[in-house]
Every structure is written in structure tokens, then in C-alpha cells.
Amino acid sequence: MGEFYTLGDVDLAGKTVLVRVDINSPLDPRSGRILSDARIREHLATLRDLREAKVAVLAHQGRAGKDDCVPLESHAERMAALLGRPVRYVDSLIGKTAQDAIRNLSPGEIVVLENTRFYAEEDALSDKPVEKMAKSHLVQRLAPLAQYFVLDAFAAAHRAQPSLVGFCEVIPTIAGRVVERELEMLNRALTSDARPKLAIFGGIKADDSLAVTRHMLEKDTVDRALTTGGVGLLFLDAQGVDIGKPTRSVLEKEIEDYGEQVAAAKAVLGKFGNRIEVPRDLALNVDGRRVETPVKELPAAHPIQDIGLETIGHFATLIGGAKTIIMHGPAGVFELEPFAVGTRELFTAVAESDAFTVIGGGHTVAVAEALGLEKEFDHVSTGGGALINYLAGKPLPLVDALRRSRQKFGASI
Ligand code: 3PG
Ligand code: MG
């Protein structure tokens, strides 16, 4: 048995098990329909392993106050269709309806409880000590009804909230298959000696990526970082390139404390500049058309929405020679076809390389699937923020909770 429990350690047949998954999914803003069920599919392995248990699923969708914070009814329907077994949705989380539903479960039955983010405790007790979360109404009411808690929400591993970590010292908490595989594959990429090791960072959350770049270069986790998307633009700005007003205002809007981030990027370049690749050319959106432009011709009066063809070629060559690759985030505005070129070409180059490849980021699974490439990577992480935090060397509350539970309940559960 390792530093935390896994599903292989415990016989859960006939037991009542609370399972915390992350099926937070992109929804169609108009119809509310689930646009990608990738995260639901990821959890099927865990749910199949629990086929003889009495299962109550906990999950969140969206953030309180946002349009995508909706009931989990259609998630339950999709789960049932994918599993080929009935899954009952219960529109309650801690009330009598939920408690009765859990008490009345038979082995092999699954209920999905209400969106945990409908309940104020989830936010109010965020980042509070585990002891305090253990006293939440959620834990106090549900824990006595179950023998075990299965924690499988890797994509929310960076969140310390009662429905994720509040149960760990109250009932034995076991890692699900998603968590087990994520940690195994990410650790393999981080500790691999197969060099050169490349990080490719894109997307618009450039502040997060900056922290990861610094950490990975400092620790020699990777030899070189290739930057695309908003991250590449931040580094160009830090080099003193005038990226132009329309692009700059997008970055200022999307990235908190943008000025400070530019200063931080400058410091990272000062230390590791020879190991960081920035775009050599870019693609402008001129009334919906793609117009290539070399960096030396900036500033541009039109927004930059992709890396340019020369950069794509150069990065593809570096990718071809790499032995380990960690890629996070798209290279451009991939939702618009003319500006999807960089993302598509880099994803394809990584997919075709012989390296050990790990990709991740909020939209990444959906992009990989849209390109039909998801099977070509060694690992497609479900994590966005969780992945970035892990790569940056920050402790994940979910992993801490699993360890605490193992320490508290010992070798025989
Ligand atoms: C995610 O999609 O990033 C996770 O489900 C966590 O959601 P959150 O960022 O709203 O906490
Ligand atoms: Mg997030």
C-alpha cells in the first residue's frame, strides 16, 4: 500500500461509497446542453470499479452566480447513457431527500446528488482547515451514511473545499482511477531523464504559465520552454517588443496585474532567456482574415491571434527532437478556423513525436478530441488549474487529503 489508498486496496462490494468526481463541463450558453462529455467519460473507469457498491456521486458545475452553475440532471443522464446503467439524479445534497436516497441504495445503484456549489458552505469554508470542513453540514450529514469516500476529482485538486477534502479524516478516503493515473503520468513526465525535455505553454492564463515556466527551468524539470498564445505575447512584451494596442488591451483585460506580470516575465527572461523560445512571427486577425507578420514588423493595428508559420516550423523541429514533452494551452484563438493553425500543427507535431507526451489545460481534451488526436498522446490531463499548480510544484489539497486519510486510518480499512 502506498502513501494513500487506491481502489485496488479495498473491497468496496456492498459498501456505501461517496464518490467526488469533476464533471464540470462546458455548456451551450443558450440551450444549456453539455458541449463535451470528456470529463464524464474519464470517470467511467472509477464508476465501473464500483459496480458492486452503493454509490452516491458528488460534483460541482460552474461557479455560484454564473450561468453555467446548473443542476446536474443532464450530467446524470449522460453518465447513465455512457455507463449503460441507470443513474438516478436527486435534486438535493444534504437534505432528507438526499439522505433517504443514499440509505435506500442497493449494490450496483448510483445516484448523482445536487451541484455542490448550490450550497454556500462550499465557498465559505474554502481554504479553511480540514478540521473546520469536517464540521460542515455536508460532511456531518453525509459521512455517517457511507463507509468510504472516493476522491477522483483531479481537475479540482487545487481547490480546498468541503466536498473535496472535508471527509478525509472522517471516513477513509481513497483515490479514484482518474487521480491515480494523473499522478502517475504527471510524475513520470516530471521525473523522466529522457532529454531533451520540452515545455510548451500557451493559452491566455499567462500569469499561471509564467510561474510554471520559472519553476520548471529553475528545477531543470525541462531543458527548454516554447511559448505560444498569450504566454508568448507576454514574453514578447517583456522583451520590449511593442505588440500593438488591440493585442495589449486583450492581455490587460485577461491577465490580472498585467504590468507586474510583464516585470516578472522580464526577470525570468533575464535568468533563463537562452532556454525560452518566443514566437518569431505571428498571425493577425484582419477583418477575419489571417495575415502573417514577422515580429520585427510589429506593432500591429490588428489583434494577434496565432503564432506564425515560421514559428510553427521552428517549434515543430524542436518537438521532433524532444524525448519528453509537456504541453499546456492552445497556441492561438483556435475557436476561429484561420487562427487554429498553430494549435493544430503543434498538437499534431507532439502527437507524432516519439517523446513521452503529456498535454493538459482547460480546453485541451476537447481540442485533442476535435482533432482526433486524443489517443496519440501518452497522457491527456483532465486538469487546467490543477495541472498548472502541480507542475509549478505547489501542494495540491486533494493529494494532502488522501495522505491525511491514509495516516489517520492506517493500513487496514
Ligand atoms: C475546473 O474546471 O477548472 C475545475 O472543475 C475547477 O473549477 P473551478 O476553477 O471553478 O474551481
Ligand atoms: Mg478552473
Side-chain angles (χ1 to χ4, degrees), residues 63 158-159 205 385:
R63 292 181 184 175
H158 56 317
R159 304 281 177 227
K205 289 180 182 157

mmCIF file of all heavy atoms in Angstrom, residues 63 158-159 205 385, ligand 2:
data_model
loop_
_atom_site.group_PDB
_atom_site.id
_atom_site.type_symbol
_atom_site.label_atom_id
_atom_site.label_comp_id
_atom_site.label_asym_id
_atom_site.label_seq_id
_atom_site.Cartn_x
_atom_site.Cartn_y
_atom_site.Cartn_z
ATOM 1 N N ARG A 63 -19.608 28.073 -11.419
ATOM 2 C CA ARG A 63 -19.364 28.787 -10.166
ATOM 3 C C ARG A 63 -20.629 29.529 -9.781
ATOM 4 O O ARG A 63 -21.299 30.092 -10.651
ATOM 5 C CB ARG A 63 -18.224 29.786 -10.331
ATOM 6 C CG ARG A 63 -16.898 29.108 -10.540
ATOM 7 C CD ARG A 63 -15.785 30.101 -10.666
ATOM 8 N NE ARG A 63 -14.546 29.379 -10.965
ATOM 9 C CZ ARG A 63 -13.392 29.952 -11.233
ATOM 10 N NH1 ARG A 63 -13.318 31.265 -11.226
ATOM 11 N NH2 ARG A 63 -12.327 29.241 -11.498
ATOM 12 N N HIS A 158 -6.734 21.448 -6.953
ATOM 13 C CA HIS A 158 -6.139 22.664 -6.377
ATOM 14 C C HIS A 158 -7.128 23.423 -5.511
ATOM 15 O O HIS A 158 -6.810 24.480 -4.987
ATOM 16 C CB HIS A 158 -5.605 23.566 -7.489
ATOM 17 C CG HIS A 158 -6.629 23.944 -8.530
ATOM 18 N ND1 HIS A 158 -7.521 23.036 -9.065
ATOM 19 C CD2 HIS A 158 -6.905 25.119 -9.132
ATOM 20 C CE1 HIS A 158 -8.291 23.649 -9.944
ATOM 21 N NE2 HIS A 158 -7.935 24.916 -10.005
ATOM 22 N N ARG A 159 -8.333 22.896 -5.353
ATOM 23 C CA ARG A 159 -9.357 23.544 -4.525
ATOM 24 C C ARG A 159 -9.474 22.837 -3.172
ATOM 25 O O ARG A 159 -9.594 21.615 -3.139
ATOM 26 C CB ARG A 159 -10.724 23.473 -5.213
ATOM 27 C CG ARG A 159 -10.744 24.066 -6.599
ATOM 28 C CD ARG A 159 -10.834 25.563 -6.553
ATOM 29 N NE ARG A 159 -10.788 26.116 -7.898
ATOM 30 C CZ ARG A 159 -10.007 27.145 -8.237
ATOM 31 N NH1 ARG A 159 -9.236 27.724 -7.349
ATOM 32 N NH2 ARG A 159 -10.024 27.592 -9.468
ATOM 33 N N LYS A 205 -4.050 32.255 -19.859
ATOM 34 C CA LYS A 205 -3.727 32.422 -18.431
ATOM 35 C C LYS A 205 -2.209 32.494 -18.263
ATOM 36 O O LYS A 205 -1.578 31.623 -17.665
ATOM 37 C CB LYS A 205 -4.326 31.284 -17.620
ATOM 38 C CG LYS A 205 -5.838 31.399 -17.549
ATOM 39 C CD LYS A 205 -6.476 30.301 -16.761
ATOM 40 C CE LYS A 205 -7.986 30.455 -16.775
ATOM 41 N NZ LYS A 205 -8.669 29.188 -16.517
ATOM 42 N N GLY A 385 -6.237 24.341 -14.055
ATOM 43 C CA GLY A 385 -5.569 24.942 -12.894
ATOM 44 C C GLY A 385 -4.848 23.913 -12.033
ATOM 45 O O GLY A 385 -3.752 24.165 -11.533
HETATM 46 MG MG MG B 2 -10.574 26.449 -13.344
#
